Amino acid sequence: MNKDTLKQLIRKEIQNLSEAVGVPANIDTLASEIYNQVVSEIDEGSDLGELMGEPIILQGDFNISDLNFNAVVIKLDFSPGDDYAFIGMDVATNLKGGKNFNLIIPKKEKFNMVIITFRFMIPISQIRDITGKDIKDFLIGQGRVEIIASLAHELKHFYDGFKSKDRKGEPITRRAAYKTYTEGGFPLKSLTEFMYNMYFVHEIENTVRSSELAGAIKAGDVTKKDFYEFLTQNRVYQRLKLIRDYSLQDLKSQLMDETDAIKKIFDANGVQYSKDDSPKKLVDTVLEIFVVTVADWKYSLLVDITRAFSKASASDKKQFFAQQKQDMERFEDNPEDYFEYEIKNASKEAGILMKKLSKLYSITPDDKSEVTNENIVDWKRWYKLMSENSKKIVVPKK
């Protein structure tokens, strides 16, 4: 076997190992490359309107494992706030209605272009003076590793769509639940946090977390020696640990500290309560309201998605909606059962994903070279192994 063949086999084995831990080949490298090109393409003299109005279009031969495409479109979106912050990203997905109330990727979808939106918060006091240079400085500075990791995250969503073309599709019910947690927001910190946790370990998100961390490993030049510290300090891993160890009692304790805010919500929404109500009773009431509210949000989204995408008959839709409404209302009389059910499932998923992320160690680069002392037992084979690094012969000058 010649050296080129051996190198190809080794590269193939590394690729197989990478994909075995949920990271498609080249996705982390591509995320870094896109980041570098985006930074270089931002016009430092642009104002906010120009930055938002003109997408950055990158063209080339891009690939993620067996997916090849030739265009990356990056849109920049800014919201006013108190400070500079990277909020997140999203990727456009082309879905259509399939049979049996599923969403599918059209088989004619070419997947020759990915569209990703970067979302930032910027200081409202400086909104008129923001330039491309400010955004570039932010991207190069504190936002670099997080943004590359997020790019890998969104690229994996894009790749998942490509791989799902020949599958039966995604249940509309699953998409409605996902959108409930990503688009909803309950006006209490602890319950908003609960919704974020449910989003964080949702099935749609679980498939991309390994790629997200692989992107951070690449961007941060993490080696095996650094891996444990990197993993345990990483935002994703820390969130998963919190979700794994979370309980209904934790949620109730947090709500006990928000009784003043709960009363304000009750006053604003006409909820009857007594000033003599105990904190426990206030918490029990708000948990009941939350369960009913989330069920209503989810059902409304389900109806909207079904009407927009599903080709089912009117009678089938009616029966489908009736069944889903019944399922969503099953916890209304026992709201604590809803939280116990969701928290238990989330804890289980978080634990599984933490173990999966720990396996990224296998594809993390080896540590940087150190001074070593060798113990050469078989000189001939050692010499053959090291021959590629043989020093150049120097011919003495006469």
Side-chain angles (χ1 to χ4, degrees):
M1 183 184 295
N2 61 45
K3 293 178 182 178
D4 290 338
T5 302
L6 180 59
K7 287 180 179 179
Q8 288 176 4
L9 288 173
I10 292 172
R11 280 196 294 269
K12 184 65 176 177
E13 187 61 29
I14 292 172
Q15 178 177 327
N16 291 340
L17 183 61
S18 176
E19 297 191 2
V21 294
V23 183
N26 196 51
I27 197 168
D28 51 348
T29 300
L30 180 59
S32 291
E33 291 174 352
I34 291 173
Y35 163 84
N36 290 332
Q37 289 187 57
V38 168
V39 170
S40 67
E41 288 288 332
I42 292 177
D43 182 354
E44 294 190 2
S46 297
D47 60 27
L48 198 61
E50 291 169 331
L51 290 168
M52 293 184 68
E54 299 180 11
I56 297 170
I57 301 175
L58 308 176
Q59 295 181 316
D61 296 322
F62 306 109
N63 81 282
I64 303 169
S65 189
D66 54 337
L67 169 60
N68 299 296
F69 52 105
N70 52 37
V72 177
V73 177
I74 302 295
K75 298 180 180 181
L76 304 179
D77 183 80
F78 303 92
S79 299
D82 298 327
D83 199 358
Y84 281 110
F86 170 59
I87 301 174
M89 294 185 187
D90 57 65
V91 63
T93 304
N94 184 19
L95 294 170
K96 73 173 186 177
K99 297 179 181 179
N100 301 321
F101 300 98
N102 282 346
L103 297 172
I104 62 172
I105 300 290
K107 288 195 174 182
K108 293 183 179 180
E109 183 74 15
K110 294 181 179 179
F111 282 90
N112 56 4
M113 177 177 67
V114 60
I115 303 173
I116 299 175
T117 301
F118 288 34
R119 301 195 181 279
F120 299 93
M121 181 177 288
I122 56 176
I124 192 169
S125 60
Q126 302 175 32
I127 200 165
R128 293 183 179 180
D129 301 320
I130 295 294
T131 67
K133 184 178 186 306
D134 297 316
I135 303 305
K136 183 177 285 192
D137 289 345
F138 178 82
L139 289 172
I140 294 172
Q142 68 185 77
R144 179 179 172 274
V145 172
E146 189 68 46
I147 287 168
I148 291 175
S150 292
L151 271 167
H153 177 124
E154 298 303 333
L155 289 171
K156 182 57 164 59
H157 277 311
F158 179 60
Y159 181 74
D160 285 346
F162 167 72
K163 298 301 285 186
S164 71
K165 283 177 68 175
D166 297 325
R167 297 175 190 163
K168 294 181 179 180
E170 173 190 324
I172 286 176
T173 51
R174 187 172 77 182
R175 179 57 58 168
Y178 180 74
K179 288 176 72 66
T180 297
Y181 294 130
T182 57
E183 296 180 4
F186 201 85
L188 283 173
K189 181 180 178 181
S190 53
L191 287 172
T192 297
E193 191 84 354
F194 169 81
M195 294 185 73
Y196 180 64
N197 289 345
M198 297 305 103
Y199 148 78
F200 206 85
V201 292
H202 190 278
E203 185 178 353
I204 292 174
E205 290 300 305
N206 284 354
T207 63
V208 305
R209 294 297 179 194
S210 293
S211 292
E212 180 178 347
L213 261 70
I217 288 169
K218 182 80 171 181
D221 292 325
V222 177
T223 66
K224 281 184 167 62
K225 182 174 65 177
D226 310 318
F227 181 79
Y228 177 77
E229 181 178 1
F230 158 79
L231 181 66
T232 54
Q233 297 302 313
N234 181 268
R235 172 187 64 84
V236 170
Y237 193 86
Q238 289 184 340
R239 172 62 59 171
L240 290 171
K241 186 175 184 296
L242 183 152
I243 295 170
R244 184 198 64 185
D245 300 336
Y246 194 66
S247 69
L248 174 57
Q249 188 55 49
D250 291 331
L251 175 60
K252 285 185 171 182
S253 296
Q254 293 166 3
L255 284 167
M256 287 288 188
D257 295 331
E258 295 186 90
T259 51
D260 289 341
I262 290 172
K263 290 177 182 178
K264 289 181 180 178
I265 293 171
F266 287 177
D267 291 337
N269 291 275
V271 178
Q272 298 297 317
Y273 70 98
S274 169
K275 292 183 179 180
D276 297 326
D277 284 348
S278 66
K280 179 182 181 304
K281 187 172 182 180
L282 291 172
V283 168
D284 288 343
T285 303
V286 83
L287 290 178
E288 182 180 354
I289 291 172
F290 179 86
V291 170
V292 174
T293 301
V294 168
D296 183 70
W297 289 346
K298 192 181 297 183
Y299 182 76
S300 296
L301 283 166
L302 180 73
V303 172
D304 290 344
I305 296 170
T306 303
R307 286 175 176 167
F309 291 100
S310 179
K311 298 177 181 179
S313 66
S315 60
D316 286 345
K317 287 181 181 179
K318 183 178 180 180
Q319 183 178 351
F320 175 71
F321 291 150
Q323 180 61 54
Q324 294 304 316
K325 190 170 184 62
Q326 182 178 339
D327 288 347
M328 291 176 189
E329 291 176 347
R330 71 187 187 277
F331 290 115
E332 288 188 2
D333 293 332
N334 299 286
E336 287 197 7
D337 289 351
Y338 163 82
F339 288 100
E340 291 282 12
Y341 174 80
E342 294 287 8
I343 290 171
K344 181 179 179 180
N345 285 341
S347 176
K348 179 181 177 181
E349 290 298 324
I352 292 171
L353 193 49
M354 287 171 71
K355 291 179 181 178
K356 184 177 180 181
L357 294 180
S358 69
K359 295 178 181 179
L360 289 172
Y361 178 85
S362 63
I363 62 169
T364 301
D366 291 328
D367 302 332
K368 296 176 182 178
S369 298
E370 298 176 346
V371 176
T372 60
N373 297 310
E374 282 74 35
N375 175 25
I376 305 173
V377 177
D378 188 326
W379 169 251
K380 289 184 179 180
R381 287 188 172 83
W382 176 275
Y383 177 77
K384 186 176 181 180
L385 181 65
M386 301 299 291
S387 61
E388 288 186 5
N389 300 321
S390 295
K391 302 296 186 294
K392 181 180 178 181
I393 295 174
V394 178
V395 179
K397 296 180 180 180
K398 292 184 180 180

